[in-house]
Amino acid sequence: MTVQPDQIYRYCDPRAPHIRLRVMTVGPNRAEVFYLNTGRRGEILLNALHDSPTTKTGKPRRTGYALEAK
Protein backbone atom coordinates (compact mmCIF):
# COMPACT_ATOMS: atom_id res chain seq x y z
CA MET A 1 0.00 0.00 0.00
CA THR A 2 1.20 3.47 -0.85
CA VAL A 3 0.10 6.40 1.29
CA GLN A 4 -0.79 9.36 -0.91
CA PRO A 5 -2.00 12.91 -0.31
CA ASP A 6 -5.78 13.43 -0.03
CA GLN A 7 -6.45 9.91 1.29
CA ILE A 8 -8.84 9.81 4.25
CA TYR A 9 -8.30 7.44 7.19
CA ARG A 10 -10.44 6.68 10.23
CA TYR A 11 -9.24 5.64 13.66
CA CYS A 12 -9.52 1.88 14.28
CA ASP A 13 -10.16 2.08 18.03
CA PRO A 14 -13.89 1.30 18.51
CA ARG A 15 -14.06 3.80 21.40
CA ALA A 16 -13.36 6.72 19.05
CA PRO A 17 -14.59 5.87 15.52
CA HIS A 18 -15.36 9.55 14.82
CA ILE A 19 -11.67 10.48 14.49
CA ARG A 20 -10.78 10.90 10.83
CA LEU A 21 -7.77 12.43 9.11
CA ARG A 22 -6.71 13.52 5.65
CA VAL A 23 -3.13 13.01 4.46
CA MET A 24 -1.63 16.32 3.35
CA THR A 25 1.99 15.42 2.49
CA VAL A 26 4.01 12.22 2.69
CA GLY A 27 7.65 11.95 3.73
CA PRO A 28 9.93 8.90 3.97
CA ASN A 29 8.66 7.81 7.43
CA ARG A 30 5.90 10.24 8.36
CA ALA A 31 2.89 11.95 6.89
CA GLU A 32 1.59 15.41 7.65
CA VAL A 33 -2.13 15.06 8.36
CA PHE A 34 -5.19 17.22 8.95
CA TYR A 35 -7.64 15.93 11.57
CA LEU A 36 -11.12 16.42 10.13
CA ASN A 37 -12.90 16.32 13.48
CA THR A 38 -10.76 19.01 15.19
CA GLY A 39 -9.31 21.03 12.32
CA ARG A 40 -5.77 20.58 13.62
CA ARG A 41 -2.66 19.49 11.78
CA GLY A 42 -0.18 16.90 12.96
CA GLU A 43 2.28 14.21 11.94
CA ILE A 44 1.83 10.46 12.04
CA LEU A 45 4.14 7.54 11.33
CA LEU A 46 3.38 5.76 8.07
CA ASN A 47 3.28 2.36 9.78
CA ALA A 48 0.14 3.52 11.66
CA LEU A 49 -1.77 3.89 8.38
CA HIS A 50 -3.37 0.65 7.14
CA ASP A 51 -5.20 -0.20 3.92
CA SER A 52 -7.76 -2.40 5.69
CA PRO A 53 -9.72 -2.20 8.96
CA THR A 54 -8.92 -5.89 9.57
CA THR A 55 -5.65 -7.70 10.29
CA LYS A 56 -4.21 -10.51 8.16
CA THR A 57 -6.08 -13.03 10.33
CA GLY A 58 -9.39 -11.21 9.81
CA LYS A 59 -9.67 -9.65 13.26
CA PRO A 60 -10.71 -5.98 13.49
CA ARG A 61 -7.82 -3.59 14.03
CA ARG A 62 -7.80 -1.78 17.37
CA THR A 63 -4.84 0.53 16.73
CA GLY A 64 -3.81 2.81 13.92
CA TYR A 65 -5.91 4.21 11.11
CA ALA A 66 -7.67 2.37 8.26
CA LEU A 67 -8.09 3.75 4.77
CA GLU A 68 -11.61 5.06 4.28
CA ALA A 69 -11.45 6.86 0.93
CA LYS A 70 -8.88 7.51 -1.78
Side-chain angles (χ1 to χ4, degrees):
M1 176 191 87
T2 303
V3 177
Q4 299 175 354
D6 292 327
Q7 288 178 328
I8 296 175
Y9 288 81
R10 69 175 173 78
Y11 195 40
C12 292
D13 189 334
R15 296 172 292 181
H18 62 281
I19 298 175
R20 296 171 61 224
L21 58 84
R22 176 185 304 269
V23 175
M24 303 304 284
T25 60
V26 180
N29 297 319
R30 297 174 185 256
E32 183 181 344
V33 298
F34 178 78
Y35 289 91
L36 299 174
N37 59 317
T38 63
R40 293 183 178 189
R41 290 182 173 256
E43 284 191 351
I44 191 165
L45 292 173
L46 293 180
N47 64 1
L49 302 175
H50 307 288
D51 60 345
S52 170
T54 58
T55 64
K56 292 179 186 177
T57 60
K59 294 181 181 179
R61 290 189 187 277
R62 299 187 59 79
T63 61
Y65 295 81
L67 182 62
E68 185 176 279
K70 293 183 180 183

